[in-house]
Amino acid sequence: AAELEYESVLCVKPDVNVYRIPPRTSNRGYRASDWKLDHPDWTGRLRVTSKGKTAYIKLEDKVSGELFAQAPIDQYPGIAVETVADSSRYFVIRIQDGTGRSAFIGIGFTDRGDAFDFNVSLQDHFKWVKQETEISKESQEADTRPKLDLGFKEGQTIKLNIGNMTSKKGGAAKPRVSGSGGLSLLPPPPGGKIAVPPIPPPSSTAIANHVTPPPVQKSSNASSADILLDLDAPAAASKAPVSATADLWGDFSTASSAVPNQAPQQSNWVQF
């Protein structure tokens, strides 16, 4: 698996300064003010790479690309990379060679943005390492758990009960949707008939009671009898004088017979 791993570049900064630092005298941390910041011991290019879960800080020559020193990092933050107490542009890294020897040196960036990119590249890498470790741990725990057998046994059947479904043909019918401007009517129930209510025959008394004659105006020439006007006659016919002898009401002969015979007189009613 180690042979299949490839090296990826996380960050490249063209200018970095390297300093020899004095040994730590106390646990208060490193301070960049104790270094000779105006006179760096080496200047070159910094490259941060990763291979698998390990990150590498490589110090290389700007022109030839020859490797000057290398610092492998297994975790961050950790002893391999430490920040100084008085600045965000300087770090202390632990370099190692192939023989197993190690030393602590100081590195610094002229631009504060370069230091920020260097710090973020290491944080992102080890955040990914942490997620990969958790995923592999969960997969191993899932493999050790007993697996559930959810398959059907021989001869085993299931029954599905789906509610709110009518299997009979005579189930409740859906109401019809009326068209635009139409009247929404429900269909008749299956097997039944709609009983049409009988229409009562017209009654002469009811029709007579439906028409209310206008009030009688008091006049010396008008008689005491009530004279009804034909309200259903056309407008042209209403302009002509009403004849007393004409039968205007048809079926109201019964009501007319109750009026005593009088000489026809001119009617003073206002026609509507």
Side-chain angles (χ1 to χ4, degrees):
E3 295 178 357
L4 297 177
E5 293 178 350
Y6 59 91
E7 185 178 19
S8 60
V9 179
L10 303 180
C11 178
V12 176
K13 294 301 174 183
D15 293 320
V16 63
N17 298 323
V18 177
Y19 304 92
R20 292 181 181 179
I21 60 175
R24 180 186 297 182
T25 58
S26 63
N27 293 330
R28 63 184 179 89
Y30 295 98
R31 296 180 62 87
S33 59
D34 298 336
W35 309 343
K36 298 178 181 180
L37 300 179
D38 297 336
H39 303 283
D41 297 294
W42 183 84
T43 301
R45 179 180 66 188
L46 179 140
R47 226 168 29 108
V48 180
T49 63
S50 65
K51 189 174 183 179
K53 296 182 179 180
T54 305
Y56 297 90
I57 299 176
K58 296 183 178 183
L59 302 176
E60 301 172 345
D61 187 82
K62 291 183 181 181
V63 180
S64 63
E66 182 181 359
L67 182 64
F68 172 75
Q70 176 176 274
I73 305 170
D74 296 329
Q75 61 179 0
Y76 182 77
I79 193 174
V81 179
E82 296 183 45
T83 58
V84 297
D86 56 348
S87 178
S88 61
R89 295 187 293 114
Y90 297 92
F91 302 86
V92 176
I93 63 175
R94 183 184 62 182
I95 58 176
Q96 293 180 351
D97 58 3
T99 60
R101 295 181 303 175
S102 61
F104 291 92
I105 62 174
I107 60 173
F109 300 93
T110 305
D111 189 2
R112 195 177 301 275
D114 293 341
F116 176 79
D117 295 340
F118 168 74
N119 190 17
V120 170
S121 63
L122 293 176
Q123 289 179 355
D124 291 344
H125 172 73
F126 285 99
K127 186 184 296 183
W128 171 80
V129 171
K130 183 179 179 181
Q131 292 176 353
E132 289 292 324
T133 304
E134 292 177 354
I135 292 174
S136 61
K137 184 178 179 181
E138 291 177 358
S139 61
Q140 291 177 0
E141 292 178 356
D143 294 337
T144 57
R145 295 173 186 172
K147 298 182 179 180
L148 298 177
D149 186 9
L150 302 178
F152 286 99
K153 305 300 185 295
E154 184 178 358
Q156 185 179 4
T157 59
I158 61 174
K159 181 180 180 181
L160 298 178
N161 186 11
I162 303 176
N164 298 329
M165 293 186 65
T166 306
S167 59
K168 297 182 181 180
K169 295 183 179 180
K174 297 181 179 180
R176 296 180 181 178
V177 180
S178 61
S180 59
L183 183 62
S184 177
L185 298 176
L186 294 176
K193 295 182 179 180
I194 299 176
V196 181
I199 300 176
S203 175
S204 60
T205 305
I207 295 176
N209 294 333
H210 178 72
V211 180
T212 303
V216 180
Q217 297 180 0
K218 293 182 181 182
S219 176
S220 59
N221 297 329
S223 62
S224 61
D226 295 336
I227 301 175
L228 302 178
L229 297 178
D230 187 7
L231 300 178
D232 297 332
S238 62
K239 294 181 181 180
V242 180
S243 176
T245 58
D247 188 7
L248 301 177
W249 292 93
D251 294 338
F252 298 98
S253 58
T254 305
S256 300
S257 61
V259 181
N261 295 329
Q262 297 178 5
Q265 297 179 0
Q266 185 67 25
S267 175
N268 295 327
W269 294 109
V270 177
Q271 297 182 5
F272 296 90

